[in-house]
Amino acid sequence: MLACFASKLACFASVKGAFPPYIENMNYRNFGKLDWKASALGLGCMRLPTDTGDWLSPNVDEQKAIELIRTAIDSGVNYIDTAYPYHNGNSEIIVGKALRNGYREKVHLATKCPSWLMETTDAFDRILDEQLKKLQTDSVDFYLIHALNKIWWHDLILKNHILSRAEAALKDGRIKHLGFSFHDQSEVFHEILNGYDGWSFCQIQYNYMNTNTQAGTRGLKAAAEKGLAVVIMEPLLGGRLANPPKVIKTLLDNAPGKPSAADLALQWLWDQPEVSVVLSGMSNMKQLQENLSSASHSSANSLTPAQRALIAQAQKIYAERTQIPCTKCSYCQPCPNGVNIPFCFEIYNDAFLHEDMATARMWYEIFLGNGARGKNADACIGCRDCESRCPQKIPISEWMPKVHEFLSAPAA
């Protein structure tokens, strides 16, 4: 018995930090240059259990959510991620309750500064103090400037000196490390990455279908080379890679060992040593247990040739389902009338790639309906200025009304 205990002790001690939060059946990874290791799997609190099953709902099932969060922590998850707008502001409140009774000391907690609300310098402190109260904590371990894009970076964060307020919060201890999450084109990611020397980490949308989307593989490697930890969001594209089209399901069912679509997608991420932690927004215990199982056998540089071949086949099938041959090079931009042409095409293509019309229509409304990412396809006036600059020679003005008609249609 003593030998068994000594063996377990050696296992824990091999991961710096020893007992809590490290658990034997969870794998841990370097978190950039910081002297701390993150669990391979992190819990994203954007899709907590709700009474309607709708992850956008503010009506979180508090009991189920707290049980889910604490079970994740008890199973070795030590990175908990939430944000100001999740579940209409209720996610931070639920997380704060879940981290009572000693759970706060077992995790590193991340939340986010809502970039779009930083219209004055004072807004930063007002909202951060509100978040700390909701989270029932004196400090946040990881604080991200949320959902940065070119407009919010220049017109809000830089213009209103938000980074200076963040530095003051670092000094007074309300936040421990500063980072950013990102949703825009690759060149904007590198501008933000290199535009401030105080970043400790960043969070990017990344999966085997997004290697050239947003930050992409190039951004992942660039951030890691600068010593930043890289946190991955949307590893399963909001669950779509876990529930692929029938043709890919058949491919996996006929493969040796019948790998699950979700596990294959997650292992593809953990195979890359630059990835620090993979966030998953899990809504029920089944999803949590499946992802914990995947994390328990994850490691860098471990994908087999057979697994790589399966992923390559899946990528090829997805590519063949693309309706519009847009490469998102953005040569068509800027549109004289403000239409975000590449993003309109991306959402339209995603609807067919993943056989998920409802989600595509939701993103179209959220990101383009209020002008957050430019105007939607309905703003096209058919000037054809973009078509002369498109390397793929796409008849953009002909596609725009079709895209808008499809994406603005009411859900069935």
Side-chain angles (χ1 to χ4, degrees), residues 190-386:
H190 291 272
E191 177 186 346
I192 295 171
L193 176 68
N194 297 313
Y196 177 63
D197 292 332
W199 304 126
S200 294
F201 69 112
C202 64
Q203 184 168 311
I204 63 172
Q205 176 175 317
Y206 190 58
N207 52 70
Y208 71 72
M209 286 306 298
N210 284 166
T211 58
N212 295 307
T213 301
Q214 298 189 29
T217 304
R218 178 170 166 254
L220 168 72
K221 293 183 179 296
E225 286 173 3
K226 287 179 71 72
L228 275 68
V230 183
V231 177
I232 303 301
M233 59 180 156
E234 298 294 351
L236 301 177
L237 266 178
R240 285 174 286 176
L241 295 183
N243 297 285
K246 293 178 182 178
V247 62
I248 294 179
K249 288 181 181 177
T250 300
L251 172 70
L252 297 178
D253 287 342
N254 292 330
K258 294 185 178 181
S260 79
D263 182 64
L264 191 63
L266 292 172
Q267 298 305 332
W268 180 85
L269 287 163
W270 285 317
D271 184 68
Q272 300 171 67
E274 296 88 356
V275 169
S276 301
V277 58
V278 175
L279 290 178
S280 180
M282 296 163 280
S283 302
N284 55 60
M285 286 294 182
K286 183 175 184 292
Q287 293 173 352
L288 173 61
Q289 294 302 331
E290 289 175 348
N291 288 349
L292 287 170
S293 176
S294 291
S296 71
H297 63 267
S298 67
S299 64
N301 302 311
S302 63
L303 277 187
T304 67
Q307 287 174 312
R308 295 182 190 280
L310 275 177
I311 290 170
Q313 286 178 276
Q315 289 171 320
K316 183 174 183 293
I317 291 169
Y318 277 123
E320 290 171 348
R321 296 169 70 89
T322 299
Q323 302 293 302
I324 305 171
C326 174
T327 64
K328 300 187 287 291
C329 68
S330 294
Y331 286 2
C332 59
Q333 299 291 90
C335 164
N337 210 39
V339 177
N340 190 332
I341 298 167
F343 195 50
C344 287
F345 285 165
E346 179 181 351
I347 297 174
Y348 183 84
N349 278 333
D350 277 354
F352 294 91
L353 286 174
H354 306 289
E355 296 177 349
D356 188 355
M357 314 306 172
T359 298
R361 287 165 178 160
M362 179 184 70
W363 287 134
Y364 188 67
E365 173 61 25
I366 289 174
F367 285 110
L368 296 176
N370 62 8
R373 294 277 297 274
K375 294 181 182 179
N376 64 27
D378 191 42
C380 174
I381 59 174
C383 69
R384 298 183 183 274
D385 178 66
C386 53

